[in-house]
Amino acid sequence: YCLPPGTMSGIAYAYINSWNSVYSDNWCTYLTAQMHEIGHNLNLAHSNEDGDYKDKSGMMGFSYSLDDGPLMCFNAAKSWQLGWYDDTDQVKTMSVNGVSSYTGPLSGIVHYNDSNNPIRNTNPILIKLNQESDSTDYYVTFNSKTSFNSGTAEGGNQVMIVRVGSEGKGYAESELVSKLNAGGAYTIPNFDGRSNTATVEV
């Protein structure tokens, strides 16, 4: 619903896992506000950084008062939850008791089934670091700043790591924990509740 100015507090809200989203005045016309609230309708929670929804790499963080942008995707955890990319081998799960390592290139969501780039469209675009003893897991993607993700407002062309609960399947706020450039690394101590250390190196 688009409401006239002065008839509601805030800029927009939505009901979770529902059809109903509500916008104040011009916010009804702003792309990121629409995508953010419809994300809630699709059962997506906020994308956080430092405990508040400040993850500006995707649509479930900040919203912007712009008609046609910025062009962004959802972050790795939300992309995993939506399951839009599950029909290819570009989605991988790593765990202590399963496939425990991957060495190779990582592509962005924009290269999902990219017929114009047959090399990139065989690379992983989402990797889940699965803690089998805990419902909180880590999700990794390359935030390729091009095409329909050309307007990402944070972490462009960096490897992004986010943490989220609910096995990545249910409504849960994600937390951006690392943005890596070439040569960077992020270490997760006591991974899976053991003495294991999980490391992502770029």
Side-chain angles (χ1 to χ4, degrees), residues 11-14 21-23 26-41 44 46-47 53 55-74 148-154:
I11 60 175
Y13 66 90
S21 52
V22 182
Y23 308 85
N26 287 336
W27 284 95
C28 193
T29 68
Y30 298 149
L31 173 64
T32 55
Q34 294 170 2
M35 292 299 295
H36 183 104
E37 301 308 331
I38 291 172
H40 285 316
N41 292 153
L44 301 181
H46 285 146
S47 295
Y53 58 110
D55 177 356
K56 298 185 288 293
S57 67
M59 290 294 187
M60 295 311 294
F62 283 166
S63 294
Y64 301 85
S65 53
L66 299 170
D67 289 340
D68 297 315
L71 297 179
M72 297 188 288
C73 301
F74 295 108
F148 53 81
N149 195 48
S150 59
T152 183
E154 182 176 9

mmCIF file of all heavy atoms in Angstrom, residues 11-14 21-23 26-41 44 46-47 53 55-74 148-154:
data_model
loop_
_atom_site.group_PDB
_atom_site.id
_atom_site.type_symbol
_atom_site.label_atom_id
_atom_site.label_comp_id
_atom_site.label_asym_id
_atom_site.label_seq_id
_atom_site.Cartn_x
_atom_site.Cartn_y
_atom_site.Cartn_z
ATOM 1 N N ILE A 11 9.111 5.151 7.350
ATOM 2 C CA ILE A 11 9.080 5.261 5.889
ATOM 3 C C ILE A 11 8.387 4.074 5.217
ATOM 4 O O ILE A 11 7.822 4.215 4.140
ATOM 5 C CB ILE A 11 10.500 5.435 5.323
ATOM 6 C CG1 ILE A 11 11.385 4.238 5.681
ATOM 7 C CG2 ILE A 11 11.115 6.743 5.820
ATOM 8 C CD1 ILE A 11 12.771 4.289 5.062
ATOM 9 N N ALA A 12 8.426 2.912 5.867
ATOM 10 C CA ALA A 12 7.798 1.723 5.274
ATOM 11 C C ALA A 12 7.843 0.587 6.285
ATOM 12 O O ALA A 12 8.663 0.580 7.206
ATOM 13 C CB ALA A 12 8.520 1.305 3.994
ATOM 14 N N TYR A 13 6.966 -0.380 6.112
ATOM 15 C CA TYR A 13 7.029 -1.612 6.903
ATOM 16 C C TYR A 13 6.346 -2.727 6.123
ATOM 17 O O TYR A 13 5.622 -2.486 5.161
ATOM 18 C CB TYR A 13 6.382 -1.445 8.282
ATOM 19 C CG TYR A 13 4.892 -1.192 8.281
ATOM 20 C CD1 TYR A 13 3.979 -2.241 8.327
ATOM 21 C CD2 TYR A 13 4.394 0.110 8.248
ATOM 22 C CE1 TYR A 13 2.618 -2.022 8.333
ATOM 23 C CE2 TYR A 13 3.028 0.355 8.254
ATOM 24 C CZ TYR A 13 2.146 -0.714 8.299
ATOM 25 O OH TYR A 13 0.793 -0.489 8.309
ATOM 26 N N ALA A 14 6.620 -3.952 6.542
ATOM 27 C CA ALA A 14 6.030 -5.104 5.859
ATOM 28 C C ALA A 14 5.737 -6.199 6.863
ATOM 29 O O ALA A 14 6.380 -6.288 7.918
ATOM 30 C CB ALA A 14 6.969 -5.621 4.775
ATOM 31 N N SER A 21 2.820 -5.086 2.249
ATOM 32 C CA SER A 21 3.857 -4.111 2.587
ATOM 33 C C SER A 21 3.280 -2.715 2.401
ATOM 34 O O SER A 21 2.432 -2.487 1.531
ATOM 35 C CB SER A 21 5.107 -4.314 1.730
ATOM 36 O OG SER A 21 4.795 -4.361 0.356
ATOM 37 N N VAL A 22 3.756 -1.765 3.223
ATOM 38 C CA VAL A 22 3.153 -0.440 3.316
ATOM 39 C C VAL A 22 4.260 0.611 3.230
ATOM 40 O O VAL A 22 5.304 0.477 3.872
ATOM 41 C CB VAL A 22 2.381 -0.277 4.649
ATOM 42 C CG1 VAL A 22 1.713 1.094 4.723
ATOM 43 C CG2 VAL A 22 1.351 -1.399 4.810
ATOM 44 N N TYR A 23 4.015 1.676 2.452
ATOM 45 C CA TYR A 23 5.027 2.689 2.204
ATOM 46 C C TYR A 23 4.446 4.077 2.433
ATOM 47 O O TYR A 23 3.289 4.347 2.097
ATOM 48 C CB TYR A 23 5.538 2.598 0.763
ATOM 49 C CG TYR A 23 5.997 1.211 0.379
ATOM 50 C CD1 TYR A 23 5.080 0.262 -0.076
ATOM 51 C CD2 TYR A 23 7.333 0.842 0.488
ATOM 52 C CE1 TYR A 23 5.488 -1.016 -0.418
ATOM 53 C CE2 TYR A 23 7.755 -0.430 0.144
ATOM 54 C CZ TYR A 23 6.827 -1.360 -0.302
ATOM 55 O OH TYR A 23 7.227 -2.615 -0.632
ATOM 56 N N ASN A 26 6.464 9.157 -0.961
ATOM 57 C CA ASN A 26 7.400 8.875 -2.048
ATOM 58 C C ASN A 26 8.182 7.579 -1.879
ATOM 59 O O ASN A 26 8.735 7.059 -2.859
ATOM 60 C CB ASN A 26 8.388 10.036 -2.207
ATOM 61 C CG ASN A 26 7.750 11.262 -2.816
ATOM 62 O OD1 ASN A 26 6.741 11.152 -3.515
ATOM 63 N ND2 ASN A 26 8.299 12.434 -2.531
ATOM 64 N N TRP A 27 8.258 7.060 -0.659
ATOM 65 C CA TRP A 27 8.991 5.805 -0.463
ATOM 66 C C TRP A 27 8.342 4.657 -1.225
ATOM 67 O O TRP A 27 8.968 3.637 -1.475
ATOM 68 C CB TRP A 27 9.108 5.486 1.024
ATOM 69 C CG TRP A 27 10.139 6.350 1.676
ATOM 70 C CD1 TRP A 27 9.923 7.524 2.337
ATOM 71 C CD2 TRP A 27 11.550 6.132 1.678
ATOM 72 N NE1 TRP A 27 11.118 8.057 2.760
ATOM 73 C CE2 TRP A 27 12.137 7.218 2.370
ATOM 74 C CE3 TRP A 27 12.377 5.131 1.174
ATOM 75 C CZ2 TRP A 27 13.513 7.330 2.567
ATOM 76 C CZ3 TRP A 27 13.744 5.237 1.372
ATOM 77 C CH2 TRP A 27 14.307 6.319 2.046
ATOM 78 N N CYS A 28 7.128 4.842 -1.626
ATOM 79 C CA CYS A 28 6.450 3.847 -2.453
ATOM 80 C C CYS A 28 7.105 3.722 -3.832
ATOM 81 O O CYS A 28 6.955 2.715 -4.512
ATOM 82 C CB CYS A 28 4.986 4.252 -2.611
ATOM 83 S SG CYS A 28 3.924 2.968 -3.279
ATOM 84 N N THR A 29 7.837 4.743 -4.242
ATOM 85 C CA THR A 29 8.434 4.757 -5.583
ATOM 86 C C THR A 29 9.914 4.420 -5.586
ATOM 87 O O THR A 29 10.523 4.349 -6.658
ATOM 88 C CB THR A 29 8.246 6.144 -6.240
ATOM 89 O OG1 THR A 29 9.044 7.118 -5.546
ATOM 90 C CG2 THR A 29 6.791 6.568 -6.211
ATOM 91 N N TYR A 30 10.520 4.223 -4.415
ATOM 92 C CA TYR A 30 11.960 4.032 -4.346
ATOM 93 C C TYR A 30 12.309 2.548 -4.417
ATOM 94 O O TYR A 30 11.802 1.729 -3.636
ATOM 95 C CB TYR A 30 12.532 4.653 -3.070
ATOM 96 C CG TYR A 30 12.325 6.155 -2.991
ATOM 97 C CD1 TYR A 30 12.160 6.782 -1.763
ATOM 98 C CD2 TYR A 30 12.290 6.938 -4.139
ATOM 99 C CE1 TYR A 30 11.972 8.156 -1.675
ATOM 100 C CE2 TYR A 30 12.092 8.313 -4.061
ATOM 101 C CZ TYR A 30 11.939 8.916 -2.819
ATOM 102 O OH TYR A 30 11.745 10.264 -2.745
ATOM 103 N N LEU A 31 13.203 2.215 -5.325
ATOM 104 C CA LEU A 31 13.534 0.823 -5.621
ATOM 105 C C LEU A 31 13.970 0.040 -4.398
ATOM 106 O O LEU A 31 13.458 -1.057 -4.135
ATOM 107 C CB LEU A 31 14.638 0.782 -6.683
ATOM 108 C CG LEU A 31 15.237 -0.590 -6.996
ATOM 109 C CD1 LEU A 31 14.187 -1.506 -7.606
ATOM 110 C CD2 LEU A 31 16.439 -0.456 -7.926
ATOM 111 N N THR A 32 14.944 0.558 -3.648
ATOM 112 C CA THR A 32 15.472 -0.234 -2.533
ATOM 113 C C THR A 32 14.441 -0.413 -1.421
ATOM 114 O O THR A 32 14.435 -1.442 -0.745
ATOM 115 C CB THR A 32 16.755 0.398 -1.966
ATOM 116 O OG1 THR A 32 16.499 1.766 -1.606
ATOM 117 C CG2 THR A 32 17.883 0.346 -2.985
ATOM 118 N N ALA A 33 13.577 0.582 -1.228
ATOM 119 C CA ALA A 33 12.512 0.422 -0.226
ATOM 120 C C ALA A 33 11.564 -0.695 -0.626
ATOM 121 O O ALA A 33 11.165 -1.536 0.192
ATOM 122 C CB ALA A 33 11.757 1.737 -0.052
ATOM 123 N N GLN A 34 11.197 -0.726 -1.901
ATOM 124 C CA GLN A 34 10.316 -1.784 -2.386
ATOM 125 C C GLN A 34 10.967 -3.158 -2.213
ATOM 126 O O GLN A 34 10.344 -4.104 -1.707
ATOM 127 C CB GLN A 34 9.986 -1.550 -3.860
ATOM 128 C CG GLN A 34 9.166 -0.311 -4.130
ATOM 129 C CD GLN A 34 9.077 -0.006 -5.612
ATOM 130 O OE1 GLN A 34 9.596 -0.721 -6.461
ATOM 131 N NE2 GLN A 34 8.418 1.087 -5.944
ATOM 132 N N MET A 35 12.225 -3.283 -2.635
ATOM 133 C CA MET A 35 12.915 -4.576 -2.545
ATOM 134 C C MET A 35 13.116 -4.997 -1.098
ATOM 135 O O MET A 35 13.018 -6.180 -0.760
ATOM 136 C CB MET A 35 14.246 -4.502 -3.266
ATOM 137 C CG MET A 35 14.126 -4.353 -4.777
ATOM 138 S SD MET A 35 13.279 -5.758 -5.535
ATOM 139 C CE MET A 35 14.456 -7.077 -5.197
ATOM 140 N N HIS A 36 13.405 -4.042 -0.228
ATOM 141 C CA HIS A 36 13.612 -4.339 1.191
ATOM 142 C C HIS A 36 12.328 -4.882 1.822
ATOM 143 O O HIS A 36 12.342 -5.934 2.480
ATOM 144 C CB HIS A 36 14.070 -3.065 1.909
ATOM 145 C CG HIS A 36 14.381 -3.253 3.360
ATOM 146 N ND1 HIS A 36 15.665 -3.313 3.845
ATOM 147 C CD2 HIS A 36 13.572 -3.399 4.447
ATOM 148 C CE1 HIS A 36 15.639 -3.476 5.151
ATOM 149 N NE2 HIS A 36 14.371 -3.537 5.543
ATOM 150 N N GLU A 37 11.223 -4.175 1.611
ATOM 151 C CA GLU A 37 9.971 -4.601 2.242
ATOM 152 C C GLU A 37 9.429 -5.885 1.611
ATOM 153 O O GLU A 37 8.911 -6.763 2.315
ATOM 154 C CB GLU A 37 8.935 -3.484 2.169
ATOM 155 C CG GLU A 37 9.361 -2.184 2.843
ATOM 156 C CD GLU A 37 9.838 -2.353 4.280
ATOM 157 O OE1 GLU A 37 9.389 -3.286 4.982
ATOM 158 O OE2 GLU A 37 10.671 -1.532 4.712
ATOM 159 N N ILE A 38 9.555 -6.026 0.295
ATOM 160 C CA ILE A 38 9.148 -7.281 -0.327
ATOM 161 C C ILE A 38 10.049 -8.419 0.140
ATOM 162 O O ILE A 38 9.607 -9.568 0.275
ATOM 163 C CB ILE A 38 9.149 -7.143 -1.863
ATOM 164 C CG1 ILE A 38 8.009 -6.211 -2.290
ATOM 165 C CG2 ILE A 38 8.994 -8.494 -2.545
ATOM 166 C CD1 ILE A 38 8.010 -5.849 -3.752
ATOM 167 N N GLY A 39 11.314 -8.098 0.441
ATOM 168 C CA GLY A 39 12.192 -9.098 1.063
ATOM 169 C C GLY A 39 11.607 -9.625 2.359
ATOM 170 O O GLY A 39 11.627 -10.832 2.623
ATOM 171 N N HIS A 40 11.072 -8.722 3.184
ATOM 172 C CA HIS A 40 10.397 -9.173 4.416
ATOM 173 C C HIS A 40 9.192 -10.052 4.066
ATOM 174 O O HIS A 40 8.944 -11.067 4.734
ATOM 175 C CB HIS A 40 9.932 -7.968 5.231
ATOM 176 C CG HIS A 40 11.035 -7.247 5.945
ATOM 177 N ND1 HIS A 40 12.040 -7.884 6.637
ATOM 178 C CD2 HIS A 40 11.290 -5.914 6.063
ATOM 179 C CE1 HIS A 40 12.848 -6.995 7.168
ATOM 180 N NE2 HIS A 40 12.423 -5.782 6.831
ATOM 181 N N ASN A 41 8.439 -9.675 3.041
ATOM 182 C CA ASN A 41 7.314 -10.512 2.600
ATOM 183 C C ASN A 41 7.778 -11.912 2.220
ATOM 184 O O ASN A 41 7.033 -12.890 2.368
ATOM 185 C CB ASN A 41 6.604 -9.882 1.407
ATOM 186 C CG ASN A 41 5.874 -8.593 1.718
ATOM 187 O OD1 ASN A 41 5.691 -7.760 0.842
ATOM 188 N ND2 ASN A 41 5.447 -8.392 2.958
ATOM 189 N N LEU A 44 12.585 -12.707 4.601
ATOM 190 C CA LEU A 44 13.952 -12.289 4.843
ATOM 191 C C LEU A 44 14.011 -11.291 5.999
ATOM 192 O O LEU A 44 13.202 -10.363 6.072
ATOM 193 C CB LEU A 44 14.546 -11.631 3.595
ATOM 194 C CG LEU A 44 14.596 -12.469 2.321
ATOM 195 C CD1 LEU A 44 15.249 -11.661 1.200
ATOM 196 C CD2 LEU A 44 15.332 -13.779 2.533
ATOM 197 N N HIS A 46 16.602 -8.620 8.465
ATOM 198 C CA HIS A 46 17.561 -7.572 8.139
ATOM 199 C C HIS A 46 18.981 -8.112 7.946
ATOM 200 O O HIS A 46 19.348 -9.148 8.500
ATOM 201 C CB HIS A 46 17.584 -6.516 9.241
ATOM 202 C CG HIS A 46 16.390 -5.615 9.211
ATOM 203 N ND1 HIS A 46 15.813 -5.096 10.346
ATOM 204 C CD2 HIS A 46 15.640 -5.146 8.171
ATOM 205 C CE1 HIS A 46 14.785 -4.343 10.012
ATOM 206 N NE2 HIS A 46 14.645 -4.366 8.707
ATOM 207 N N SER A 47 19.748 -7.369 7.156
ATOM 208 C CA SER A 47 21.174 -7.636 6.975
ATOM 209 C C SER A 47 21.936 -6.639 7.831
ATOM 210 O O SER A 47 21.942 -5.434 7.541
ATOM 211 C CB SER A 47 21.570 -7.479 5.499
ATOM 212 O OG SER A 47 20.924 -8.449 4.701
ATOM 213 N N TYR A 53 20.967 -2.807 11.092
ATOM 214 C CA TYR A 53 20.898 -3.143 9.677
ATOM 215 C C TYR A 53 21.624 -2.109 8.818
ATOM 216 O O TYR A 53 21.047 -1.314 8.102
ATOM 217 C CB TYR A 53 19.487 -3.463 9.187
ATOM 218 C CG TYR A 53 18.389 -2.446 9.349
ATOM 219 C CD1 TYR A 53 17.866 -1.802 8.229
ATOM 220 C CD2 TYR A 53 17.835 -2.170 10.578
ATOM 221 C CE1 TYR A 53 16.816 -0.901 8.344
ATOM 222 C CE2 TYR A 53 16.802 -1.271 10.702
ATOM 223 C CZ TYR A 53 16.294 -0.639 9.594
ATOM 224 O OH TYR A 53 15.272 0.250 9.712
ATOM 225 N N ASP A 55 24.389 -3.259 6.867
ATOM 226 C CA ASP A 55 25.066 -3.951 5.770
ATOM 227 C C ASP A 55 24.566 -3.354 4.462
ATOM 228 O O ASP A 55 23.460 -3.634 4.005
ATOM 229 C CB ASP A 55 24.768 -5.455 5.845
ATOM 230 C CG ASP A 55 25.384 -6.254 4.696
ATOM 231 O OD1 ASP A 55 25.990 -5.636 3.793
ATOM 232 O OD2 ASP A 55 25.251 -7.490 4.699
ATOM 233 N N LYS A 56 25.402 -2.518 3.858
ATOM 234 C CA LYS A 56 24.975 -1.780 2.669
ATOM 235 C C LYS A 56 25.341 -2.509 1.378
ATOM 236 O O LYS A 56 25.264 -1.930 0.293
ATOM 237 C CB LYS A 56 25.603 -0.384 2.690
ATOM 238 C CG LYS A 56 25.154 0.461 3.892
ATOM 239 C CD LYS A 56 25.687 1.878 3.842
ATOM 240 C CE LYS A 56 27.164 1.961 4.134
ATOM 241 N NZ LYS A 56 27.494 1.595 5.512
ATOM 242 N N SER A 57 25.723 -3.773 1.497
ATOM 243 C CA SER A 57 26.077 -4.528 0.293
ATOM 244 C C SER A 57 24.860 -5.051 -0.457
ATOM 245 O O SER A 57 24.965 -5.448 -1.620
ATOM 246 C CB SER A 57 27.001 -5.704 0.658
ATOM 247 O OG SER A 57 26.304 -6.672 1.438
ATOM 248 N N GLY A 58 23.702 -5.074 0.213
ATOM 249 C CA GLY A 58 22.518 -5.655 -0.412
ATOM 250 C C GLY A 58 21.234 -4.999 0.057
ATOM 251 O O GLY A 58 21.234 -4.037 0.827
ATOM 252 N N MET A 59 20.128 -5.558 -0.381
ATOM 253 C CA MET A 59 18.826 -4.915 -0.242
ATOM 254 C C MET A 59 18.207 -4.966 1.155
ATOM 255 O O MET A 59 17.258 -4.239 1.424
ATOM 256 C CB MET A 59 17.840 -5.527 -1.241
ATOM 257 C CG MET A 59 18.120 -5.173 -2.693
ATOM 258 S SD MET A 59 17.882 -3.412 -2.986
ATOM 259 C CE MET A 59 18.052 -3.337 -4.765
ATOM 260 N N MET A 60 18.703 -5.819 2.047
ATOM 261 C CA MET A 60 18.076 -5.929 3.361
ATOM 262 C C MET A 60 18.782 -5.107 4.426
ATOM 263 O O MET A 60 18.519 -5.258 5.618
ATOM 264 C CB MET A 60 17.977 -7.395 3.777
ATOM 265 C CG MET A 60 17.067 -8.231 2.894
ATOM 266 S SD MET A 60 15.431 -7.504 2.583
ATOM 267 C CE MET A 60 14.704 -7.534 4.214
ATOM 268 N N GLY A 61 19.681 -4.196 3.992
ATOM 269 C CA GLY A 61 20.258 -3.215 4.893
ATOM 270 C C GLY A 61 19.536 -1.888 4.713
ATOM 271 O O GLY A 61 18.316 -1.819 4.773
ATOM 272 N N PHE A 62 20.317 -0.828 4.479
ATOM 273 C CA PHE A 62 19.738 0.497 4.259
ATOM 274 C C PHE A 62 18.834 0.524 3.029
ATOM 275 O O PHE A 62 19.017 -0.230 2.087
ATOM 276 C CB PHE A 62 20.856 1.520 4.013
ATOM 277 C CG PHE A 62 21.581 1.965 5.260
ATOM 278 C CD1 PHE A 62 22.781 2.655 5.156
ATOM 279 C CD2 PHE A 62 21.088 1.707 6.522
ATOM 280 C CE1 PHE A 62 23.465 3.070 6.280
ATOM 281 C CE2 PHE A 62 21.760 2.121 7.655
ATOM 282 C CZ PHE A 62 22.951 2.816 7.530
ATOM 283 N N SER A 63 17.884 1.482 3.035
ATOM 284 C CA SER A 63 17.138 1.835 1.837
ATOM 285 C C SER A 63 17.491 3.262 1.457
ATOM 286 O O SER A 63 17.841 4.078 2.310
ATOM 287 C CB SER A 63 15.631 1.702 2.064
ATOM 288 O OG SER A 63 15.260 0.360 2.270
ATOM 289 N N TYR A 64 17.373 3.565 0.172
ATOM 290 C CA TYR A 64 17.806 4.858 -0.349
ATOM 291 C C TYR A 64 16.649 5.535 -1.079
ATOM 292 O O TYR A 64 15.862 4.882 -1.764
ATOM 293 C CB TYR A 64 18.987 4.668 -1.316
ATOM 294 C CG TYR A 64 20.180 4.000 -0.681
ATOM 295 C CD1 TYR A 64 20.262 2.607 -0.609
ATOM 296 C CD2 TYR A 64 21.201 4.757 -0.127
ATOM 297 C CE1 TYR A 64 21.347 1.990 -0.003
ATOM 298 C CE2 TYR A 64 22.301 4.151 0.476
ATOM 299 C CZ TYR A 64 22.361 2.761 0.532
ATOM 300 O OH TYR A 64 23.438 2.159 1.143
ATOM 301 N N SER A 65 16.585 6.862 -0.953
ATOM 302 C CA SER A 65 15.500 7.625 -1.584
ATOM 303 C C SER A 65 15.852 7.941 -3.031
ATOM 304 O O SER A 65 16.020 9.097 -3.420
ATOM 305 C CB SER A 65 15.233 8.911 -0.792
ATOM 306 O OG SER A 65 16.435 9.658 -0.616
ATOM 307 N N LEU A 66 15.959 6.872 -3.836
ATOM 308 C CA LEU A 66 16.278 6.977 -5.255
ATOM 309 C C LEU A 66 15.267 6.160 -6.053
ATOM 310 O O LEU A 66 14.891 5.057 -5.649
ATOM 311 C CB LEU A 66 17.695 6.450 -5.528
ATOM 312 C CG LEU A 66 18.849 7.184 -4.831
ATOM 313 C CD1 LEU A 66 20.140 6.399 -5.008
ATOM 314 C CD2 LEU A 66 18.991 8.590 -5.371
ATOM 315 N N ASP A 67 14.844 6.680 -7.185
ATOM 316 C CA ASP A 67 13.819 6.005 -7.978
ATOM 317 C C ASP A 67 14.315 4.709 -8.617
ATOM 318 O O ASP A 67 13.597 3.705 -8.642
ATOM 319 C CB ASP A 67 13.309 6.933 -9.083
ATOM 320 C CG ASP A 67 12.466 8.076 -8.545
ATOM 321 O OD1 ASP A 67 11.966 7.951 -7.410
ATOM 322 O OD2 ASP A 67 12.314 9.082 -9.249
ATOM 323 N N ASP A 68 15.532 4.717 -9.135
ATOM 324 C CA ASP A 68 15.988 3.605 -9.970
ATOM 325 C C ASP A 68 17.271 2.941 -9.459
ATOM 326 O O ASP A 68 17.973 2.284 -10.222
ATOM 327 C CB ASP A 68 16.223 4.087 -11.407
ATOM 328 C CG ASP A 68 14.941 4.589 -12.039
ATOM 329 O OD1 ASP A 68 13.912 3.911 -11.899
ATOM 330 O OD2 ASP A 68 14.977 5.669 -12.657
ATOM 331 N N GLY A 69 17.576 3.067 -8.224
ATOM 332 C CA GLY A 69 18.817 2.471 -7.747
ATOM 333 C C GLY A 69 18.955 2.643 -6.246
ATOM 334 O O GLY A 69 18.028 3.128 -5.593
ATOM 335 N N PRO A 70 20.115 2.298 -5.730
ATOM 336 C CA PRO A 70 21.217 1.654 -6.454
ATOM 337 C C PRO A 70 20.907 0.190 -6.770
ATOM 338 O O PRO A 70 20.164 -0.461 -6.035
ATOM 339 C CB PRO A 70 22.391 1.767 -5.473
ATOM 340 C CG PRO A 70 21.750 1.863 -4.123
ATOM 341 C CD PRO A 70 20.453 2.578 -4.319
ATOM 342 N N LEU A 71 21.479 -0.311 -7.862
ATOM 343 C CA LEU A 71 21.272 -1.702 -8.260
ATOM 344 C C LEU A 71 22.106 -2.613 -7.364
ATOM 345 O O LEU A 71 23.331 -2.520 -7.344
ATOM 346 C CB LEU A 71 21.665 -1.896 -9.728
ATOM 347 C CG LEU A 71 20.850 -1.115 -10.754
ATOM 348 C CD1 LEU A 71 21.381 -1.388 -12.156
ATOM 349 C CD2 LEU A 71 19.373 -1.469 -10.662
ATOM 350 N N MET A 72 21.428 -3.483 -6.625
ATOM 351 C CA MET A 72 22.107 -4.395 -5.695
ATOM 352 C C MET A 72 21.370 -5.727 -5.650
ATOM 353 O O MET A 72 20.201 -5.817 -6.021
ATOM 354 C CB MET A 72 22.153 -3.808 -4.278
ATOM 355 C CG MET A 72 22.919 -2.527 -4.120
ATOM 356 S SD MET A 72 23.106 -2.061 -2.382
ATOM 357 C CE MET A 72 21.430 -1.561 -1.978
ATOM 358 N N CYS A 73 22.067 -6.734 -5.154
ATOM 359 C CA CYS A 73 21.453 -8.044 -4.899
ATOM 360 C C CYS A 73 21.171 -8.174 -3.398
ATOM 361 O O CYS A 73 21.288 -7.221 -2.636
ATOM 362 C CB CYS A 73 22.405 -9.158 -5.344
ATOM 363 S SG CYS A 73 22.867 -9.105 -7.080
ATOM 364 N N PHE A 74 20.830 -9.366 -2.967
ATOM 365 C CA PHE A 74 20.794 -9.700 -1.559
ATOM 366 C C PHE A 74 22.155 -10.283 -1.175
ATOM 367 O O PHE A 74 22.891 -10.778 -2.024
ATOM 368 C CB PHE A 74 19.682 -10.715 -1.279
ATOM 369 C CG PHE A 74 18.301 -10.182 -1.533
ATOM 370 C CD1 PHE A 74 17.563 -10.623 -2.621
ATOM 371 C CD2 PHE A 74 17.740 -9.243 -0.689
ATOM 372 C CE1 PHE A 74 16.283 -10.133 -2.866
ATOM 373 C CE2 PHE A 74 16.461 -8.744 -0.926
ATOM 374 C CZ PHE A 74 15.735 -9.191 -2.015
ATOM 375 N N PHE A 148 23.666 -6.136 -12.685
ATOM 376 C CA PHE A 148 22.565 -5.800 -11.790
ATOM 377 C C PHE A 148 22.996 -5.657 -10.335
ATOM 378 O O PHE A 148 22.164 -5.442 -9.462
ATOM 379 C CB PHE A 148 21.417 -6.817 -11.911
ATOM 380 C CG PHE A 148 21.826 -8.254 -11.746
ATOM 381 C CD1 PHE A 148 22.018 -8.814 -10.507
ATOM 382 C CD2 PHE A 148 22.021 -9.042 -12.869
ATOM 383 C CE1 PHE A 148 22.379 -10.145 -10.359
ATOM 384 C CE2 PHE A 148 22.386 -10.376 -12.747
ATOM 385 C CZ PHE A 148 22.573 -10.923 -11.483
ATOM 386 N N ASN A 149 24.308 -5.742 -10.064
ATOM 387 C CA ASN A 149 24.841 -5.470 -8.731
ATOM 388 C C ASN A 149 25.825 -4.295 -8.767
ATOM 389 O O ASN A 149 26.612 -4.103 -7.852
ATOM 390 C CB ASN A 149 25.542 -6.717 -8.182
ATOM 391 C CG ASN A 149 25.800 -6.641 -6.698
ATOM 392 O OD1 ASN A 149 24.914 -6.301 -5.923
ATOM 393 N ND2 ASN A 149 27.030 -6.954 -6.284
ATOM 394 N N SER A 150 25.748 -3.486 -9.827
ATOM 395 C CA SER A 150 26.724 -2.416 -10.035
ATOM 396 C C SER A 150 26.626 -1.297 -9.005
ATOM 397 O O SER A 150 27.566 -0.519 -8.833
ATOM 398 C CB SER A 150 26.573 -1.824 -11.438
ATOM 399 O OG SER A 150 25.269 -1.299 -11.624
ATOM 400 N N GLY A 151 25.503 -1.210 -8.302
ATOM 401 C CA GLY A 151 25.327 -0.140 -7.330
ATOM 402 C C GLY A 151 25.561 -0.551 -5.893
ATOM 403 O O GLY A 151 25.260 0.241 -4.987
ATOM 404 N N THR A 152 26.068 -1.764 -5.649
ATOM 405 C CA THR A 152 26.285 -2.189 -4.267
ATOM 406 C C THR A 152 27.073 -1.123 -3.515
ATOM 407 O O THR A 152 28.087 -0.614 -4.001
ATOM 408 C CB THR A 152 27.001 -3.556 -4.209
ATOM 409 O OG1 THR A 152 27.134 -3.958 -2.840
ATOM 410 C CG2 THR A 152 28.370 -3.516 -4.865
ATOM 411 N N ALA A 153 26.583 -0.746 -2.343
ATOM 412 C CA ALA A 153 27.113 0.411 -1.636
ATOM 413 C C ALA A 153 28.200 0.062 -0.628
ATOM 414 O O ALA A 153 28.702 0.951 0.067
ATOM 415 C CB ALA A 153 25.967 1.142 -0.927
ATOM 416 N N GLU A 154 28.559 -1.211 -0.545
ATOM 417 C CA GLU A 154 29.607 -1.628 0.397
ATOM 418 C C GLU A 154 30.231 -2.928 -0.089
ATOM 419 O O GLU A 154 29.544 -3.809 -0.582
ATOM 420 C CB GLU A 154 29.018 -1.825 1.799
ATOM 421 C CG GLU A 154 30.032 -2.208 2.849
ATOM 422 C CD GLU A 154 29.436 -2.314 4.245
ATOM 423 O OE1 GLU A 154 28.195 -2.261 4.382
ATOM 424 O OE2 GLU A 154 30.224 -2.464 5.197
#
